[in-house]
Amino acid sequence: TEDGLSRLRGSKYVQSEVNDSFSNVRSMLMDGRPVLFSGTPCQVAGLGKFLGKDYDNLLKVDIACYGVPSPMVWARYLKEVQDNAGGSRITGISFRDKSGGWKDYGMKIWFEDGSLFSRRHSEDPFMNSFLDGTDMRPSCYDCPARCGSSGSDITLGDFWGIGTVDSSLDDDTGTSLVITYTEKGENAIRDTGCALHPESLEEARRFNAGVAASSASGTPHRDFFFLAMRHLGFSQAMGIAYSRNPAIRLIRRIYRTR
């Protein structure tokens, strides 16, 4: 419904549940209904494999994907935040709250008792683990679907670096990156009536790893972080994985070379 569209908006740095979406898409397509399917590049590629052919009434949209964090990591992080809030039920989450600006976005979590958890992305351990590539699923480090390889008609993302490319478009409220691969995708974007400012694909890729690199980049801390997660809480595991303590750094080095 139109009222439910707001739930589709906003970045969500966690693995989504496809469930029976592919089957539902196929049923609607066969009924002649127009369908817009959006997801990560691997999900769009998966839909294409499932359907086995293209449909004129299907528009496929993927995102500038940096990789998908482990569901276990997200669950551990969320439990810590909820426990620290006294166990109150979570009523809302914003991974990219922009009240401090587009570049200085933050994590916000609302609770039933009226309390609020709020951290800048640079100070939040979950966002740090995501942006550093520490908590990704293993398949994200060897992805065959990124950078226009998913079969999508459109890729959507943030145009990071827009201030360098065109400072007149950098008002710190956010500038969208839109890449079209097909005539269908280009027509769909033009039909929105949005203000469009063409830039080269090279410029779009300069500051956007999600469309420039074929796979997510990991860190040497990843395996040690997941090992620590087996025995410790999320924040403790992050602290040890990134600790500058000489003894812990030596243990990490030994673990990586064993």
Side-chain angles (χ1 to χ4, degrees):
T1 65
E2 188 171 336
D3 292 338
L5 287 176
S6 62
R7 298 179 62 188
L8 301 177
R9 301 175 63 192
S11 299
K12 302 173 180 66
Y13 302 124
V14 63
Q15 182 174 332
S16 60
E17 297 179 354
V18 174
N19 295 326
D20 56 356
S21 297
F22 289 2
S23 296
N24 290 338
V25 167
R26 183 170 60 186
S27 296
M28 289 186 284
L29 291 171
M30 294 181 69
D31 287 342
R33 296 175 58 184
V35 176
L36 186 155
F37 179 89
S38 65
T40 58
C42 59
Q43 290 172 336
V44 171
L47 176 65
K49 293 288 188 182
F50 177 82
L51 294 175
K53 67 173 186 176
D54 197 14
Y55 287 80
D56 291 338
N57 51 329
L58 172 63
L59 186 69
K60 294 174 288 187
V61 180
D62 66 11
I63 57 173
C65 185
Y66 291 84
V68 178
S70 157
M72 178 188 70
V73 172
W74 171 244
R76 295 278 186 90
Y77 165 82
L78 211 56
K79 184 178 186 307
E80 279 191 12
V81 173
Q82 189 170 22
D83 288 347
N84 291 336
S88 181
R89 188 174 71 87
I90 294 172
T91 57
I93 299 173
S94 175
F95 290 83
R96 288 278 300 279
D97 177 76
K98 294 191 289 186
S99 55
W102 177 46
K103 303 180 188 71
D104 197 24
Y105 60 89
M107 174 78 78
K108 277 193 177 181
I109 301 177
W110 290 266
F111 296 91
E112 193 172 44
D113 63 3
S115 59
L116 172 68
F117 171 90
S118 178
R119 275 187 186 160
R120 296 169 62 188
H121 74 275
S122 58
E123 299 170 352
D124 184 74
F126 178 79
M127 289 305 300
N128 284 333
S129 69
F130 168 67
L131 295 172
D132 287 347
T134 302
D135 64 359
M136 305 295 181
R137 295 180 60 89
S139 54
C140 295
Y141 302 110
D142 187 23
C143 178
R146 283 168 45 137
C147 299
S149 300
S150 70
S152 67
D153 300 293
I154 300 169
T155 291
L156 299 177
D158 290 286
F159 203 131
W160 298 117
I162 189 61
T164 301
V165 176
D166 187 344
S167 60
S168 69
L169 299 176
D170 186 16
D171 59 2
D172 204 29
T173 61
T175 302
S176 295
L177 171 66
V178 181
I179 303 174
T180 59
Y181 305 104
T182 64
E183 184 178 357
K184 185 194 301 185
E186 186 167 348
N187 290 338
I189 292 299
R190 293 191 183 282
D191 286 347
T192 65
C194 293
L196 303 176
H197 300 268
E199 296 290 348
S200 69
L201 187 57
E202 289 72 22
E203 291 286 13
R205 286 175 168 169
R206 279 178 64 192
F207 305 97
N208 292 275
V211 294
S214 58
S215 292
S217 58
T219 69
H221 309 303
R222 184 187 186 279
D223 290 344
F224 193 81
F225 166 69
F226 275 92
L227 174 67
M229 279 277 290
R230 297 178 189 173
H231 310 286
L232 305 170
F234 171 77
S235 295
Q236 287 179 299
M238 278 291 290
I240 289 178
Y242 284 85
S243 173
R244 301 185 66 82
N245 180 286
I248 295 178
R249 292 174 69 179
L250 176 61
I251 294 172
R252 287 202 306 258
R253 191 177 302 116
I254 293 172
Y255 180 78
R256 288 199 302 268
T257 59
R258 65 186 175 86

